[in-house]
Amino acid sequence: MQNSQLFLGYPDIVTHGDLCTMLSISKNSAYRLLKSGQIEHIKMGRKYLIPKSSVTQYISDKLA
């Protein structure tokens, strides 16, 4: 499946909660991925803004 077809129902910028759903992971696992820099993001205050492309890139890297 091409990256452009993954997660079609999600906006271009997703939240921490969306990330949990997209990857079927717990809140703590999502925070670990973000804090370790494995998934690129921008932190604004207490919110994580995550480009959907960063999530698809993370998946592609794991499959390679």
Side-chain angles (χ1 to χ4, degrees), residues 2-60:
Q2 293 179 346
N3 287 348
S4 62
Q5 294 178 348
L6 285 175
F7 309 121
L8 285 176
Y10 290 91
D12 290 337
I13 303 293
V14 298
T15 64
H16 171 265
D18 292 332
L19 179 63
C20 294
T21 304
M22 293 164 86
L23 298 180
S24 298
I25 58 176
S26 69
K27 291 179 183 181
N28 288 336
S29 294
Y31 280 125
R32 266 193 301 276
L33 288 173
L34 294 169
K35 290 181 180 183
S36 69
Q38 293 183 63
I39 295 179
E40 293 183 30
H41 64 281
I42 299 168
K43 189 168 181 191
M44 296 187 79
R46 294 176 57 168
K47 283 188 149 189
Y48 287 92
L49 303 176
I50 308 154
K52 181 168 57 173
S53 60
S54 294
V55 180
T56 56
Q57 183 62 49
Y58 170 76
I59 292 170
S60 294

